[in-house]
Amino acid sequence: MLKKILLKIQKLEQQKKAKVDKQSEIQKEIDDLDLQLKKLYSFKKDYEKLEKNSQDFLNNMGGKTT
């Protein structure tokens, strides 16, 4: 009886380890995606700021007469 219990414990511990390893792998993938998203959102914000400043500059140049 004890042998069956120990085998069951061992089996469940192996299953748990496999799930924890998979969880760590998925968390790393999520962290990598978050990093990529952060960079892209920053790039998007910088681009929008540049676009706005360029448009403002061009609008100001068009309004002046020499």
Side-chain angles (χ1 to χ4, degrees), residues 3-55:
K3 190 173 184 177
K4 284 185 179 183
I5 294 171
L6 292 174
L7 287 174
K8 184 68 172 176
I9 288 172
Q10 184 180 15
K11 182 180 177 185
L12 291 175
E13 286 290 348
Q14 288 173 346
Q15 288 177 354
K16 178 183 173 183
K17 183 183 182 320
K19 299 283 183 182
V20 168
D21 290 347
K22 185 68 175 174
Q23 181 183 27
S24 296
E25 184 180 315
I26 291 171
Q27 186 60 53
K28 184 185 180 315
E29 290 176 20
I30 291 170
D31 292 344
D32 290 345
L33 290 170
D34 281 341
L35 183 60
Q36 290 177 11
L37 282 167
K38 184 178 179 181
K39 288 179 182 179
L40 286 170
Y41 278 122
S42 177
F43 181 70
K44 177 183 172 276
K45 182 179 176 182
D46 290 344
Y47 179 83
E48 288 171 341
K49 184 177 178 182
L50 177 64
E51 188 175 44
K52 181 188 179 308
N53 288 340
S54 298
Q55 191 62 44

